[in-house]
Amino acid sequence: MKQQLAAHIRKVASKYGLDAYRLVLLYDDYYSIDRYHSDKIYKAVSELDKKSDILMVLLSDGGKIEPAYLISKVCKRLSKDKFVVSVPRKAKSAATLICLGADEVHMGFLSELGPIDPQIGGFPALGLANALEKIASLSTKFPASAEMFAKYLTANLNIRDLGYFERINESAVQYAQRLLSAKTFPGSWTADSLADHLTNHYKDHSFVIDADEASRLLGSSFIKDRTKEYEFGNELYEFLEFSDLLFRVFKNRTLRYVGSIDQGLDLNDRPSK
């Protein structure tokens, strides 16, 4: 099965004239990015006889920022000249962080990046601070409720959590700054201002940053629109989505593909989407 899937992926890549790339996949619609993903990607890009440009097809809702940062760094460091990412659909949160370290990100009409906005237990790291700001605002507007809010917070809030959540968010900004530091951007944008914007500006973790907005922020030399790399990623997405559907229906398995074409396939007993 692995050999047949790998052969088909190579055939599609050849169809688009992308044979010169080292192809790597981070295609995972079920699990958050973690050390498993960074280990598999490192194995895929470090076992090269000689350096070549790296093309990653990326589909993920995000995950931990530390392995995402390492994935981006290692792909850039071990590429010959370019580390390129194709985003056929979604590369959210930590997956967006991976994109920031690339030389080019190829997108289309349905491609979406998203706020880096680290999550803790399914909630945004800044959510606690925002909730406190809302409570303070309500207490000012309705002074009689202040004592009630104070009792609630005393009973339910660990003040250490507030500091921890804020530091996690600050770490996301720092990682984004480092990945963006060597790049130039349109207008008055800088690595620092973009890192802060991508982490703190958007109010919803699922907010869609499409190709047009990504290009306005990061520049058309960085965000490439509807190229052969994107078309390859889109065709591969449709093929893997169909394969995943077949595995779920007939085998009660789910498909993820992380790492090299030859070794990246993984089937799991996890319930279907």
Side-chain angles (χ1 to χ4, degrees), residues 105 186 214-216 218-225:
V105 178
S215 183
R216 287 194 298 270
L218 299 165
S220 58
S221 62
F222 183 46
I223 303 297
K224 304 291 186 178
D225 190 16

Side-chain angles (χ1 to χ4, degrees), residues 197-216:
H197 183 85
L198 291 169
T199 306
N200 297 311
H201 172 72
Y202 302 96
K203 303 304 182 185
D204 177 19
H205 181 72
S206 299
F207 194 95
V208 173
I209 301 175
D210 63 11
D212 290 337
E213 183 169 1
S215 183
R216 287 194 298 270

Side-chain angles (χ1 to χ4, degrees), residues 43-68:
K43 181 178 176 62
V45 299
S46 64
E47 294 181 343
L48 300 175
D49 295 330
K50 60 180 181 178
K51 281 191 173 184
S52 59
D53 291 339
I54 293 173
L55 171 60
M56 174 186 289
V57 178
L58 178 56
L59 177 86
S60 173
D61 276 319
K64 295 182 178 179
I65 57 175
E66 296 86 359

Side-chain angles (χ1 to χ4, degrees), residues 85-153:
V85 178
S86 175
V87 181
R89 292 298 185 273
K90 57 183 178 179
K92 311 293 280 189
S93 192
T96 294
L97 189 68
I98 292 175
C99 293
L100 298 185
D103 295 289
E104 297 173 358
V105 178
H106 295 252
M107 303 177 68
F109 288 125
L110 295 181
S111 302
E112 53 180 288
L113 306 181
I116 298 171
D117 184 26
Q119 304 281 291
I120 300 172
F123 296 96
L126 282 181
L128 180 56
N130 292 338
L132 286 176
E133 291 173 1
K134 183 64 175 179
I135 289 173
S137 174
L138 288 172
S139 297
T140 301
K141 187 175 181 179
F142 305 104
S145 67
E147 184 177 355
M148 177 190 69
F149 284 131
K151 289 180 178 179
Y152 176 81
L153 292 175

Side-chain angles (χ1 to χ4, degrees), residues 237-255:
Y237 165 82
E238 293 176 348
F239 168 69
L240 292 178
E241 281 290 290
F242 180 68
S243 300
D244 182 45
L245 173 63
L246 294 179
F247 282 120
R248 284 188 282 126
V249 171
F250 295 107
K251 297 293 185 180
N252 197 29
R253 297 287 188 91
T254 59
L255 176 153

